[in-house]
Amino acid sequence: ELEFGPVRKKFCRFCVEKAKGIDYKDIKKIEKCVNDRYKILSRKFSGSCARHQRKLSNAIKLARYLALMPYVRT
């Protein structure tokens, strides 16, 4: 049998910070929720709650549209 130790509970970093909204101009915070190919991470991997995941994906899409963030890695 394989044992990996105790499982850590994931938490929403935006709920912990008590963020009102997610700003599309805050690229440093947004980039933590995309992988190295700039794909949006799912809730399972990012650890964010459903409400903040929806706001996060909209912020990422808006930042991409305004050319603040690339769509894919070149």
Side-chain angles (χ1 to χ4, degrees), residues 3 7-8 10 12-14 18-20 28 47 49 51-52 55-56 63 65 69 74:
E3 292 208 21
V7 178
R8 232 180 91 213
K10 288 187 181 170
C12 177
R13 70 171 60 113
F14 301 107
K18 296 182 179 169
K20 295 288 182 189
K28 297 282 186 203
C49 65
R51 180 189 344 172
H52 286 114
K55 290 182 180 182
L56 179 69
Y65 179 74
M69 179 183 264
T74 54

Side-chain angles (χ1 to χ4, degrees), residues 41-52:
L41 292 177
S42 65
R43 285 182 55 205
K44 181 177 177 181
F45 295 108
S46 67
S48 57
C49 65
R51 180 189 344 172
H52 286 114

Side-chain angles (χ1 to χ4, degrees), residues 2-54:
L2 296 175
E3 292 208 21
F4 297 107
V7 178
R8 232 180 91 213
K9 177 152 174 30
K10 288 187 181 170
F11 57 91
C12 177
R13 70 171 60 113
F14 301 107
C15 287
V16 170
E17 295 173 1
K18 296 182 179 169
K20 295 288 182 189
I22 299 171
D23 193 15
Y24 68 91
K25 294 173 279 192
D26 194 1
I27 300 300
K28 297 282 186 203
K29 198 177 286 186
I30 290 176
E31 279 187 338
K32 293 178 183 172
C33 298
V34 295
N35 66 5
D36 59 336
R37 295 180 177 212
Y38 286 96
K39 290 175 75 174
I40 301 172
L41 292 177
S42 65
R43 285 182 55 205
K44 181 177 177 181
F45 295 108
S46 67
S48 57
C49 65
R51 180 189 344 172
H52 286 114
Q53 181 70 21
R54 286 191 297 270

